[in-house]
Amino acid sequence: MVMPIAELQNVTMTYGAVKALDDVSLTVDEGTALAVLGPNGAGKTTAIRLLTGLKRAQKGKARLFGRNPRSPASRLTIGVTPQEASFPHAMKAGEILDFARKHYAEPAPRDALIEAFGLEPNLNRMAVSLSGGQQRKLAVALAFCGGPRVVFLDEPTTGIDSDSRQRMWRYIQQFKAGGGTIFLTTHYLDEAEAIASRIVLINEGKILRSGTVDDVRSAVQVRVIRFRAANAPDLTAARHATSDAERHTYLSSDADESVRALVKSGLEFRDLEVLPASLESAVNELLKVSS
């Protein structure tokens, strides 16, 4: 039997009257990427703190490489980007990167990190003087700098521009392709689709759904209907989602009935598409049902 890289076993964590995690079990297998999704306060960051040894489970167990995550030996080959990172006031970004890499026997190549995370323009600037997005890129680079076996990324690309996000995704995908393991929390569902092997959707401390991206999409009977027309009509079993000029998007619980309603409306339309629900649509529907 293959030992999971990281694991929560029937974990419950309570803060006052709030259950951050309620009998949660999940596993992260080697060479995979697990994305944990959910609204603020769902318990995602608590899960990371347990698996990286920053918190002790009140009930149940957390395991990292089969050991207690609070043991220093179990944390030697991990990388972490917390939700909020801070840097020394008297060090430049390049100095911090170099200092961190020197703590590891086989660090990740410096030039590759600089390129992947767009650090070159800011290497000689004080880290605390960087913008929020620039600091975020440095924080994520530091998670990978030690050549880790597993990285824990808590909302890694918050505040980062689209081009930089795409570049970071490519590096993370290459890390996974090379056998690396990823535990990711994010509010960007396109990020989860780009990176994750598996999805866990959590809300109010409970797991609502887990599986592949396709598994989560298929958990709801919602379809996306798109077409071009002068107006956005009312459609049976559908709700209007967005309009961009003459391009209209609907979410429908009965796509056949909605398309029949569109035809019967007499509206002139073209470029009709009926598509599976996006991950974002599926997650929103599952959260709505659970609330």
Side-chain angles (χ1 to χ4, degrees), residues 16 35 42 79 88-89 119 122 133 151 156 158 161 168 190 192-193 228 241 250 261 289:
H89 279 70
L119 302 180
N122 300 307
V151 291
T158 298
D161 63 89
M168 290 169 65
D190 55 342
E193 288 187 276
R228 293 186 183 276
Y250 289 74
V289 169

Side-chain angles (χ1 to χ4, degrees), residues 204-259:
E204 296 181 349
K206 289 183 175 292
I207 291 178
L208 302 182
R209 186 72 57 171
S210 64
T212 65
V213 171
D214 286 341
D215 290 337
V216 175
R217 281 177 178 152
S218 63
V220 296
Q221 299 302 311
V222 173
R223 294 294 179 267
V224 177
I225 299 175
R226 290 182 183 146
F227 57 89
R228 293 186 183 276
N231 301 308
D234 292 330
L235 298 181
T236 306
R239 61 182 174 86
H240 184 213
T242 62
S243 289
D244 180 9
E246 291 190 344
R247 181 119 178 122
H248 309 293
T249 300
Y250 289 74
L251 299 178
S252 176
S253 58
D254 187 339
D256 291 342
E257 181 60 33
S258 296
V259 170

Side-chain angles (χ1 to χ4, degrees), residues 5-282:
I5 290 283
E7 184 176 19
L8 296 180
Q9 302 172 358
N10 304 109
V11 169
T12 295
M13 289 289 290
T14 303
Y15 301 105
V18 177
K19 276 190 176 180
L21 295 175
D22 188 0
D23 194 31
V24 166
S25 295
L26 58 82
T27 61
V28 189
D29 295 325
E30 189 165 14
T32 66
L34 177 69
V36 180
L37 309 178
N40 291 332
K44 306 183 298 294
T45 296
T46 296
I48 285 183
R49 289 174 177 168
L50 287 164
L51 290 170
T52 56
L54 298 177
K55 292 280 187 182
R56 188 193 306 272
Q58 295 165 341
K59 182 180 178 182
K61 294 181 179 179
R63 287 289 178 264
L64 184 61
F65 301 111
R67 302 189 291 264
N68 185 341
R70 295 176 69 82
S71 166
S74 68
R75 301 197 298 262
L76 291 175
T77 55
I78 73 171
V80 183
T81 298
Q83 206 171 89
E84 296 182 4
S86 59
F87 302 104
H89 279 70
M91 292 184 71
K92 299 175 182 177
E95 292 172 337
I96 292 173
L97 181 64
D98 293 339
F99 178 75
R101 291 179 68 255
K102 286 180 180 178
H103 285 75
Y104 299 94
E106 297 182 13
R110 185 178 190 271
D111 290 345
L113 291 170
I114 291 170
E115 169 64 21
F117 297 100
L119 302 180
E120 179 66 38
N122 300 307
L123 290 176
N124 291 317
R125 294 180 60 190
M126 293 296 178
V128 294
S129 73
L130 301 178
S131 70
Q134 291 165 344
Q135 289 191 11
R136 200 67 188 151
K137 289 189 281 188
L138 175 60
V140 180
L142 292 174
F144 289 93
C145 77
R149 288 178 63 190
V150 56
V151 291
F152 296 87
L153 304 174
D154 198 355
E155 299 185 26
T157 61
T158 298
I160 293 177
D161 63 89
S162 178
D163 287 345
S164 295
R165 287 176 66 210
Q166 295 285 340
R167 188 185 302 177
M168 290 169 65
W169 291 356
R170 287 193 291 272
Y171 186 89
I172 294 170
Q173 289 163 338
Q174 289 168 4
F175 172 79
K176 185 178 74 168
T181 304
I182 300 158
F183 186 107
L184 167 75
T185 77
T186 182
H187 287 294
Y188 297 119
L189 300 191
D190 55 342
E191 185 163 88
E193 288 187 276
I195 294 172
S197 313
R198 290 179 54 243
I199 301 289
V200 168
L201 177 60
I202 189 169
N203 190 27
E204 296 181 349
K206 289 183 175 292
I207 291 178
L208 302 182
R209 186 72 57 171
S210 64
T212 65
V213 171
D214 286 341
D215 290 337
V216 175
R217 281 177 178 152
S218 63
V220 296
Q221 299 302 311
V222 173
R223 294 294 179 267
V224 177
I225 299 175
R226 290 182 183 146
F227 57 89
R228 293 186 183 276
N231 301 308
D234 292 330
L235 298 181
T236 306
R239 61 182 174 86
H240 184 213
T242 62
S243 289
D244 180 9
E246 291 190 344
R247 181 119 178 122
H248 309 293
T249 300
Y250 289 74
L251 299 178
S252 176
S253 58
D254 187 339
D256 291 342
E257 181 60 33
S258 296
V259 170
R260 281 194 291 269
L262 176 60
V263 172
K264 290 178 181 178
S265 73
L267 182 72
E268 292 187 8
F269 65 90
R270 62 189 187 281
D271 300 336
L272 175 66
E273 295 178 290
V274 179
L275 306 168
S278 66
L279 179 61
E280 181 174 8
S281 299

